[in-house]
Amino acid sequence: MATEILMPALSPTMEEGTLAKWLVKEGDTINSGDIIAEIETDKATMEFEAVDEGVMGKILIEAGTDGVKVNTPIAVLVTEGEEVPTDGAKAETAPAPAALNGEEGKTAAPATAAPVPAAPKADTTPDWPEGTKMKTQTVREALRDAMAEEMRAADEVFVMGEEVAEYQGAYKITQGLLDEFGARRVIDTPITEHGFAGIGVGAAFGGLRPIVEFMTFNFAMQAIDQILNSAAKTLYMSGGQMGCPIVFRGPNGAAARVGAQHSQCYAAWYAQIPGLKVVMPYSAADAKGLLKTAIRDPNPVIFLENEILYGRSFEVPDLEDFTVPFGKAKTWREGTDVTIVSFGIGMTYSLEAAERLAKDGISAEVIDLRTIRPMDTDAILASVMKTNRLVTVEEGYPQGSVGNYITSVVMERAFDYLDAPVINLTGKDVPMPYAANLEKLALVTTDEVVEAVRKVTYR
Amino acid sequence: MATRKPTAKSNVSAEELQSYYRDMLLIRRFEEKAGQLYGMGLIGGFCHLYIGQEAVVVGLEATAKEGDKRITSYRDHGHMLACGMDPKGVMAELTGREGGYSRGKGGSMHMFSKEKHFYGGHGIVGAQVPLGAGLAFSDKYKGNDNVTFTYFGDGAANQGQVYETYNMAMLWDLPVIFVIENNKYAMGTSVQRATKSPSLWERGAAYGIKGEEVDGMDVLAVKAAGEKAVAHCRAGKGPYILEVMTYRYRGHSMSDPAKYRTRDEVQKMRTERDAIEHVRELLLQGKHATEDDLKAIDKEIKAIVNEAAEFSKESPEPALDELWTDIYA
């Protein structure tokens, strides 16, 4: 049976090309893999190989022809002894390619008029039952307990990182874990973030649930490709087959006087990535409850801690298995005049500011996001619809901040409720300086929160 | 590469040789068909063909047992077919259809099969190397004797994370076989233009990892080296490196005119060293098969590939709501 040879597409963008040269003539025997023609694309001259076997029956497009559209028949291949079909008897043609960008695709266009969203309602169920016995713990102890409890519960949970085992953790978060769980499950790595992040992701593909500690999240930049391209995207790229249950955790943001390379908040960076969950606890109870949830989550979780908060003490519920769900903000303080949204160490300044403002008769509602992704936008919107004013507080840089995103959500869904422009308080737009006075200036402060609230409340 | 030495008389059975012939031919015909579908605009984006390198995966798969894992780069179609994934599902992924292994959401470079323990299909050069060591870590942690074949090219062999991984794989005795598929060119850059080290496998010595160079155009040589490496890993002795000397006949991707090498160089490899022709000769000379037997296999393979191509055209594009699924488990 005769087969038409079609003008091939030879690059992702080629639509037409020049049939520069035929390397065979009519009557030649063709084997699959033979180079039969040279075709010029806009970028290069390419060799064109035969796929089917047969005899070159007829060359339809002469050498030297420009502007030959992709999928135009350029020659007819026949079997030995077969006649070239005349116009009447059409040769078998491979079916035309499906319209990949056809009408069907257009039906997905977004509706022009967005439906009016239902008034959001914040989930205000308490994190623990009333009357629960509490104990005082540092954030450091809470994080360790969370890991130890989950490691006791499931053998596939293990922790790896620099100095996590014998040194007991650079910041003593993994203290005691080596003694209890042994070297099989508490693993010291060499200083090789890119490599051990990749090994952790591979181990998660293999059915384990790794906790990968970065000594600080600044060092995770060495491993960013594995976090984004391997951990976050594989579930999607595999059509749902290959999940990556892994926790990347460690201190994030500024500590004190450690300079530009060790002082950066990555919340907004990671929050941008579909496939990741991003957690940033403030209190010890949240550190514990959220880390336990992170370890059980079937997705990659970025768990951003803070060195300054490690030593702070909070009340933690004395429960056998206490967890905090993702995507549920916590309202630390109810108020009526302004909403302050923050997370992590930003909560310190926000709560201090609210205390001071209360003395001046300004009632601030303070919301701790706890998880940046998924984000409890309902809690923010419900609060803004009540207070009509919003200030966001974070330590990261201003451009593309978490606050910027919150502002866009509020603009889209609660614009008419706003009585003042939203203020996004952030760290200053500079690398972190070392000098004590300059570092203080670079960070967001309680004074700035107070001032921003006064601005949006015109008081 | 020198011309092939006559393969030493071995106790290879007719059945075994025929299965290598069939498996390698399937990859070649499948890839030729993929190239054709690309030319017709049915396959888009990047498409990296494996033609010429078939003996590498077929030889190594012959040494694997159930539960062993494999992971590779973006030149991955051959690995998937060799480990038993369905050609229909692979081709339909290439055309971006619902019937593809990733339901059309991964494409040529990103395909997976949990069932066949194929862990991708990775588009970032070298990233699969620590991932492969991680898979091996999971087997060691669980206490079984499975191994992970971690494939990468001569190009990836210059990435830093490869050496971070060598270090940890040896430190922790991970059962991982690092398979360097040295096809002489990292896209358009020959090995000699990328490094002065005389051989890539010898770099493992810096970490105490054993390895060897293998003739990748001889499926029996690949299998023999693979058996040694697998035995080493299963015995708990840690990683092993195989630098498999091979050659890709086609360009780096479909849009590569391959001007960095001569047509003669390619032609010489095809006529003198072709891995499929080699097995064909062994079959005929050893009277393990007749011309007619081989024609029957050719026909059978052609039918499988045509069926895959038809399926990949007929399978519908993914439903539009697929855009929003599989982001979180």
Side-chain angles (χ1 to χ4, degrees):
Chain A
M1 196 176 10
T3 310
E4 281 184 344
I5 298 175
L6 305 179
M7 181 72 169
L10 294 168
S11 80
T13 50
M14 175 177 165
E15 287 172 7
E16 58 174 45
T18 300
L19 209 166
K21 195 172 170 187
W22 280 107
L23 300 172
V24 293
K25 54 187 189 307
E26 290 176 4
D28 283 0
T29 302
I30 312 277
N31 286 310
S32 81
D34 286 356
I35 299 159
I36 56 171
E38 286 182 1
I39 288 169
E40 281 173 22
T41 69
D42 54 344
K43 290 195 286 254
T45 304
M46 307 278 295
E47 292 173 343
F48 179 36
E49 286 184 11
V51 174
D52 298 302
E53 291 162 8
V55 173
M56 180 54 75
K58 190 165 176 57
I59 286 175
L60 303 172
I61 304 279
E62 290 303 314
T65 310
D66 290 334
V68 183
K69 296 257 184 276
V70 165
N71 278 334
T72 308
I74 56 174
V76 179
L77 204 62
V78 295
T79 50
E80 199 112 9
E82 188 194 2
E83 290 287 309
V84 177
T86 53
D87 290 349
K90 194 148 168 24
E92 181 193 84
T93 320
L100 296 173
N101 299 305
E103 287 304 309
E104 206 185 343
K106 289 180 187 158
T107 59
T112 42
V116 181
K121 202 173 168 329
D123 177 358
T124 53
T125 52
D127 288 336
W128 51 82
E130 215 174 322
T132 299
K133 195 172 151 238
M134 304 296 281
K135 59 181 174 188
T136 305
Q137 262 197 324
T138 61
V139 169
R140 173 177 285 118
E141 291 160 344
L143 290 168
R144 182 207 50 211
D145 285 359
M147 284 189 282
E149 286 177 22
E150 293 307 300
M151 288 175 78
R152 272 172 221 137
D155 182 65
E156 65 265 24
V157 180
F158 70 96
V159 57
M160 73 193 294
E162 293 154 8
E163 311 290 8
V164 298
E166 296 196 7
Y167 194 88
Q168 307 290 323
Y171 294 102
K172 298 290 175 280
I173 308 302
T174 51
Q175 191 146 36
L177 295 185
L178 177 65
D179 288 346
E180 181 174 353
F181 300 102
R184 172 174 167 266
R185 300 180 66 194
V186 185
I187 301 160
D188 278 326
T189 66
I191 300 172
T192 175
E193 284 84 6
H194 196 180
F196 72 69
I199 287 178
V201 173
F205 289 163
L208 304 183
R209 305 181 83 86
I211 304 167
V212 173
E213 176 175 311
F214 290 118
M215 197 181 288
T216 101
F217 262 93
N218 298 283
F219 306 161
M221 286 294 105
Q222 300 251 26
I224 195 75
D225 172 65
Q226 292 292 358
I227 298 171
L228 305 196
N229 279 313
S230 301
K233 297 179 184 174
T234 298
L235 184 74
Y236 195 81
M237 295 192 302
S238 66
Q241 287 183 74
M242 207 73 72
C244 185
I246 191 168
V247 178
F248 296 105
R249 50 153 290 272
N252 164 74
R257 309 287 311 278
V258 291
Q261 291 183 337
H262 285 67
S263 311
Q264 184 170 340
C265 174
Y266 290 94
W269 285 53
Y270 291 109
Q272 237 238 331
I273 307 302
L276 292 182
K277 294 189 177 180
V278 184
V279 182
M280 193 153 159
Y282 162 60
S283 73
D286 286 345
K288 183 175 185 188
L290 290 167
L291 185 53
K292 282 166 67 78
T293 300
I295 295 165
R296 294 178 195 183
D297 197 281
N299 300 287
V301 179
I302 305 293
F303 197 92
L304 303 168
E305 300 159 8
N306 185 286
E307 192 192 329
I308 293 167
L309 292 177
Y310 279 153
R312 296 254 176 102
S313 293
F314 293 84
E315 292 295 288
V316 177
D318 196 2
L319 293 168
E320 203 171 301
D321 187 20
F322 166 65
T323 60
V324 172
F326 287 174
K328 185 178 169 222
K330 179 184 169 89
T331 302
W332 279 78
R333 199 183 164 109
E334 290 192 13
T336 51
D337 298 332
V338 63
T339 300
I340 302 173
V341 176
S342 189
F343 47 91
I345 187 124
M347 285 300 298
T348 309
Y349 317 122
S350 301
L351 288 171
E352 276 174 13
E355 193 68 42
R356 269 164 53 183
L357 289 159
K359 288 184 186 134
D360 295 338
I362 298 173
S363 161
E365 182 145 297
V366 184
I367 295 175
D368 179 359
L369 284 181
R370 305 198 286 195
T371 57
I372 320 297
R373 184 185 187 97
M375 188 186 284
D376 188 355
T377 50
D378 282 351
I380 300 169
L381 289 164
S383 178
V384 168
M385 286 177 180
K386 180 174 73 175
T387 66
N388 311 110
R389 292 168 166 88
L390 174 63
V391 171
T392 66
V393 182
E394 69 196 286
E395 198 182 86
Y397 295 131
Q399 193 166 336
S401 66
V402 175
N404 287 172
Y405 175 70
I406 294 170
T407 306
S408 79
V409 171
V410 170
M411 292 279 280
E412 281 175 29
R413 295 180 55 190
F415 183 73
D416 291 341
Y417 290 86
L418 286 175
D419 286 346
V422 176
I423 292 181
N424 296 149
L425 281 179
T426 64
K428 307 307 178 296
D429 203 10
V430 297
M432 188 63 72
Y434 167 71
N437 63 334
L438 296 182
E439 183 184 62
K440 214 168 162 187
L441 213 54
L443 291 162
V444 66
T445 61
T446 302
D447 285 348
E448 286 170 348
V449 181
V450 169
E451 195 189 327
V453 167
R454 289 192 181 284
K455 247 189 209 166
V456 300
T457 53
Y458 308 110
R459 287 157 80 170
Chain B
M1 236 174 296
T3 27
R4 195 190 318 282
K5 290 178 221 109
T7 305
K9 280 276 175 237
S10 58
N11 49 0
V12 193
S13 69
E15 209 174 26
E16 199 181 330
L17 278 175
Q18 283 195 22
S19 91
Y20 299 152
Y21 181 74
R22 182 180 279 112
D23 292 349
M24 290 196 289
L25 199 65
L26 173 64
I27 296 172
R28 181 154 308 175
R29 295 287 171 261
F30 180 96
E31 293 291 66
E32 286 167 354
K33 183 59 84 177
Q36 190 183 34
L37 297 185
Y38 190 92
M40 291 162 64
L42 283 159
I43 296 171
F46 296 126
C47 183
H48 309 86
L49 302 182
Y50 198 63
I51 297 173
Q53 302 182 209
E54 297 91 345
V56 182
V57 287
V58 171
L60 288 174
E61 280 297 336
T63 69
K65 71 169 189 179
E66 176 52 35
D68 287 346
K69 301 174 173 60
R70 58 285 284 166
I71 187 166
T72 188
S73 72
Y74 45 81
R75 195 179 305 285
D76 54 358
H77 312 163
H79 304 70
M80 294 188 275
L81 297 174
C83 75
M85 287 168 66
D86 182 356
K88 291 207 289 280
V90 179
M91 197 69 96
E93 189 60 37
L94 298 186
T95 54
R97 305 303 174 92
E98 192 183 84
Y101 266 98
S102 299
R103 297 207 302 279
K105 291 155 76 165
S108 164
M109 301 188 286
H110 313 116
M111 258 183 271
F112 306 80
S113 169
K114 216 162 193 179
E115 185 203 344
K116 299 288 181 191
H117 310 290
F118 178 74
Y119 288 84
H122 293 269
I124 307 295
V125 177
Q128 76 275 23
V129 179
L131 296 174
L135 290 165
F137 178 97
S138 72
D139 280 321
K140 187 178 159 76
Y141 189 93
K142 291 173 195 161
N144 61 44
D145 72 344
N146 280 120
V147 304
T148 299
F149 295 91
T150 300
Y151 295 87
F152 55 103
D154 49 276
N158 290 318
Q159 286 278 26
Q161 60 184 319
V162 170
Y163 301 94
E164 296 190 19
T165 304
Y166 279 3
N167 186 43
M168 285 179 281
M170 192 62 196
L171 182 67
W172 298 330
D173 295 324
L174 301 183
V176 53
I177 299 157
F178 297 109
V179 184
I180 307 171
E181 293 193 65
N182 185 343
N183 65 14
K184 298 189 169 194
Y185 297 93
M187 197 167 155
T189 303
S190 67
V191 174
Q192 292 73 21
R193 293 204 303 120
T195 180
K196 281 205 172 178
S197 2
S199 78
L200 300 174
W201 71 269
E202 285 181 29
R203 295 179 184 180
Y207 306 89
I209 307 178
K210 288 187 176 149
E212 61 193 89
E213 184 181 307
V214 187
D215 179 357
M217 304 308 271
D218 179 345
V219 70
L220 300 178
V222 175
K223 190 199 170 201
E227 278 172 340
K228 195 168 151 193
V230 166
H232 179 92
C233 286
R234 288 211 210 289
K237 293 179 186 166
Y240 201 90
I241 300 172
L242 296 175
E243 182 178 359
V244 189
M245 309 308 285
T246 182
Y247 199 78
R248 74 170 145 73
Y249 296 171
R250 296 294 191 94
H252 165 72
S253 69
M254 290 302 297
S255 48
D256 170 20
K259 297 296 180 202
Y260 40 83
R261 58 187 187 186
T262 63
R263 191 180 285 178
D264 284 350
E265 179 184 309
V266 182
Q267 208 45 46
K268 202 170 150 63
M269 288 301 288
R270 292 180 91 136
T271 49
E272 293 177 9
R273 299 301 329 276
D274 187 75
I276 298 177
E277 277 307 310
H278 173 227
V279 174
R280 191 184 159 82
E281 280 164 26
L282 290 178
L283 278 164
L284 292 173
Q285 282 165 11
K287 307 235 180 296
H288 294 304
T290 64
E291 287 277 3
D292 282 347
D293 292 339
L294 297 184
K295 266 192 188 143
I297 294 177
D298 292 0
K299 211 174 146 192
E300 178 198 326
I301 295 298
K302 219 162 202 175
I304 294 171
V305 169
N306 284 336
E307 193 192 352
E310 281 313 307
F311 177 78
S312 78
K313 293 179 205 168
E314 281 160 15
S315 177
E317 289 188 275
L320 295 181
D321 58 9
E322 279 285 339
L323 180 66
W324 301 103
T325 61
D326 304 324
I327 297 162
Y328 293 103

